[in-house]
């Protein structure tokens, strides 16, 4: 069955290790769209960052962000799908993070909220321009409604122990994704990229078998399993390669262009 929708993870997939889209990847994405295929981003990043790259590439449909928690048009219109935390759950988690002095950022619409700005905690966002970052200090309780994702950051090698602690104390109340080694994405329960991508496919009237998805990390597993054609980068984790139907080249070797040329064009 012909592919009608391509969903691309961003970091170490569509983007190379410099957090940029190569000319070759951009060229082949354009060719796919010229053929009538929808191309979108499906990322753990916030909507504004996903949309920034999607607009620069001239993508032709809404993007999936916050690990599937938000599906939003590029024109900034109302979300097609958006999942939120229960405020009481989020406050409990934020209280813990402040108590433990864990660095956190959280997203409401296209705004990032932080206790204080620390550029070291935003390495993946260095190539995204125009982000709206608001410092709230200790006055975080008033910003606990309509939150789509919270990210816990640690640059001292403790993210796995933080993950284990949060997973134990918030079992069933949240979802957890960890694949960078220094950040942990926290989502509303039951949310993953497959959920967001399926909402987008339904919106576009596209069958599951007509979807191709590409990624590299643990937060891509559900999406790769969901897609009719699942693509793992050469630099992907072993678990993702095991469930993928196609393994493409490394993210620094135009792997997305290679996969689209082989499977779509």
């Amino acid at each position: 069955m012909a592919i009608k929708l391509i969903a691309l993870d961003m970091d170490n997939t569509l983007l190379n290790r410099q957090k940029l889209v190569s000319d070759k990847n951009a060229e082949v994405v354009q060719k796919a769209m010229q053929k009538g295929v929808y191309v979108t981003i499906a990322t753990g990043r916030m909507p504004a960052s996903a949309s920034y790259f999607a607009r620069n590439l001239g993508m032709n449909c809404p993007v999936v962000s916050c690990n599937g928690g938000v599906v939003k048009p590029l024109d900034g219109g109302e979300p097609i799908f958006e999942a939120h935390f229960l405020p009481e759950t989020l406050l409990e988690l934020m209280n813990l993070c402040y108590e433990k002095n864990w660095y956190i950022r959280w997203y409401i619409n296209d705004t990032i909220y932080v206790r204080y700005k620390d550029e070291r905690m935003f390495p993946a966002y260095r190539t995204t321009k125009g982000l709206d970052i608001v410092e709230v200090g200790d006055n975080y309780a008033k910003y606990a409604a309509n939150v789509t994702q919270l990210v816990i950051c640690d640059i001292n090698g403790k993210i796995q122990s933080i993950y284990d602690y949060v997973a134990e104390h918030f079992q069933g109340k949240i979802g957890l994704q960890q694949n960078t080694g220094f950040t942990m994405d926290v989502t509303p329960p039951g949310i993953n990229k497959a959920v967001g991508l399926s909402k987008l496919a339904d919106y576009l009237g596209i069958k599951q078998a007509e979807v191709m998805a590409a990624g590299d990390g643990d937060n891509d597993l559900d999406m790769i399993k969901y897609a009719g054609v699942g693509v793992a980068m050469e630099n992907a984790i072993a678990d993702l390669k095991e469930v993928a139907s196609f393994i493409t080249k490394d993210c620094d070797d135009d792997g997305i262009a290679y996969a689209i040329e082989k499977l779509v064009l």
Side-chain angles (χ1 to χ4, degrees):
M1 187 173 289
I3 297 299
K4 295 183 179 179
L5 171 62
I6 301 171
L8 305 173
D9 171 53
M10 287 180 62
D11 296 290
N12 297 327
T13 300
L14 173 62
L15 306 187
N16 57 28
R17 289 178 179 82
Q18 300 304 311
K19 305 302 180 185
L20 298 169
V21 181
S22 71
D23 291 342
K24 181 65 174 179
N25 279 352
E27 174 190 341
V28 174
V29 164
Q30 291 299 320
K31 288 181 179 179
M33 291 190 292
Q34 290 166 7
K35 189 179 177 181
V37 178
Y38 289 108
V39 184
T40 190
I41 284 171
T43 180
R45 294 199 194 193
M46 66 175 302
S49 184
S51 296
Y52 174 81
F53 282 93
R55 283 193 296 267
N56 284 346
L57 289 169
M59 287 185 173
N60 55 2
C61 67
V63 294
V64 179
S65 58
C66 293
N67 285 302
V70 181
V71 182
K72 192 172 183 180
L74 293 178
D75 63 6
E78 287 299 311
I80 296 163
F81 172 73
E82 187 170 284
H84 303 132
F85 292 95
L86 291 174
E88 56 268 29
T89 299
L90 188 67
L91 278 173
E92 182 182 358
L93 177 59
M94 294 171 87
N95 288 340
L96 173 66
C97 292
Y98 269 64
E99 176 187 323
K100 297 285 189 180
N101 202 31
W102 295 336
Y103 190 90
I104 59 174
R105 61 177 185 261
W106 60 101
Y107 310 143
I108 303 174
N109 295 320
D110 285 327
T111 301
I112 301 174
Y113 294 86
V114 295
R115 188 176 189 176
Y116 57 90
K117 291 182 183 179
D118 186 339
E119 296 299 327
R120 297 174 302 165
M121 304 298 182
F122 290 81
Y125 284 73
R126 66 180 183 271
T127 54
T128 304
K129 298 179 181 178
L131 291 178
D132 182 19
I133 303 175
V134 175
E135 293 181 293
V136 304
D138 293 334
N139 190 24
Y140 58 90
K142 66 182 291 186
Y143 302 101
N146 299 321
V147 174
T148 54
Q149 184 166 276
L150 180 143
V151 181
I152 301 174
C153 309
D154 179 85
I155 57 175
N156 299 308
K158 299 179 181 179
I159 200 67
Q160 187 59 52
S161 63
I162 294 173
Y163 181 102
D164 294 340
Y165 187 93
V166 172
E168 177 182 354
H169 287 77
F170 288 85
Q171 186 174 10
K173 294 182 177 181
I174 58 174
L176 295 174
Q177 309 281 351
Q178 199 289 109
N179 70 334
T180 69
F182 56 87
T183 63
M184 180 175 77
D185 295 342
V186 187
T187 64
I191 292 300
N192 57 59
K193 289 187 182 183
V195 172
L197 184 54
S198 67
K199 298 289 186 182
L200 176 59
D202 289 346
Y203 173 79
L204 296 172
I206 291 173
K207 298 176 182 177
Q208 184 175 348
E210 298 170 325
V211 177
M212 171 180 146
D216 72 300
D218 62 352
N219 64 334
D220 297 312
L221 275 166
D222 292 296
M223 176 174 72
I224 297 303
K225 291 176 183 177
Y226 161 82
V229 177
V231 176
M233 307 300 295
E234 177 57 39
N235 51 279
I237 61 173
D239 287 349
L240 198 72
K241 290 181 177 179
E242 288 180 5
V243 301
S245 52
F246 184 82
I247 298 176
T248 190
K249 296 180 179 181
D250 190 272
C251 66
D252 282 342
D253 195 21
D254 304 323
I256 288 304
Y258 182 79
I260 293 175
E261 287 178 330
K262 290 291 184 181
L263 301 171
V264 181
L265 299 181

